């Protein structure tokens, strides 16, 4: 579900930004990384900008692949 900018959750924005930074630092292009974790490029872009929520499994895939802590965003998704 895409969220209007004024209603975007800070935890989602923070996780998305951290994911993008880590992905770029690892030298992974968006298209390649999306394929690696088996989601669409569009969905990954929406997660990285904090515009879309994802399933817990997708957050875990991103976090695991990029060595991030998914706990804050998973707490938000669960609530």
């Amino acid at each position: 579900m895409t969220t209007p900018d004024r209603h975007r959750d800070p935890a989602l924005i923070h996780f998305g930004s951290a994911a993008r930074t880590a992905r770029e630092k690892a030298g992974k292009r968006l298209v390649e990384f999306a394929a690696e974790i088996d989601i669409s490029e569009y969905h990954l872009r929406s997660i990285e900008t904090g515009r879309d929520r994802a399933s817990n499994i997708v957050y875990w895939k991103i976090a695991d692949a990029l060595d991030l802590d998914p706990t804050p965003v998973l707490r938000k998704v669960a609530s």
Side-chain angles (χ1 to χ4, degrees), residues 16 21 39 46 49 59 73:
T21 299
I39 65 172
S46 294
T49 59
Y59 286 123
V73 76

Side-chain angles (χ1 to χ4, degrees), residues 11-12 15 53-61 63 69-79:
L12 298 179
F15 180 82
R53 291 181 179 256
S55 68
N56 288 354
I57 192 72
V58 170
Y59 286 123
W60 277 110
K61 284 180 176 183
D69 178 13
T71 306
V73 76
L74 290 176
R75 283 189 185 130
K76 277 301 204 185
V77 171
S79 61

Side-chain angles (χ1 to χ4, degrees), residues 24-45:
E24 290 174 344
K25 187 175 181 179
K28 298 181 181 195
R29 294 184 19 217
L30 189 125
V31 174
E32 297 164 341
F33 186 62
E36 178 183 323
I37 60 170
D38 198 30
I39 65 172
S40 73
E41 176 184 347
Y42 175 82
H43 191 43
L44 179 57
R45 184 177 290 116

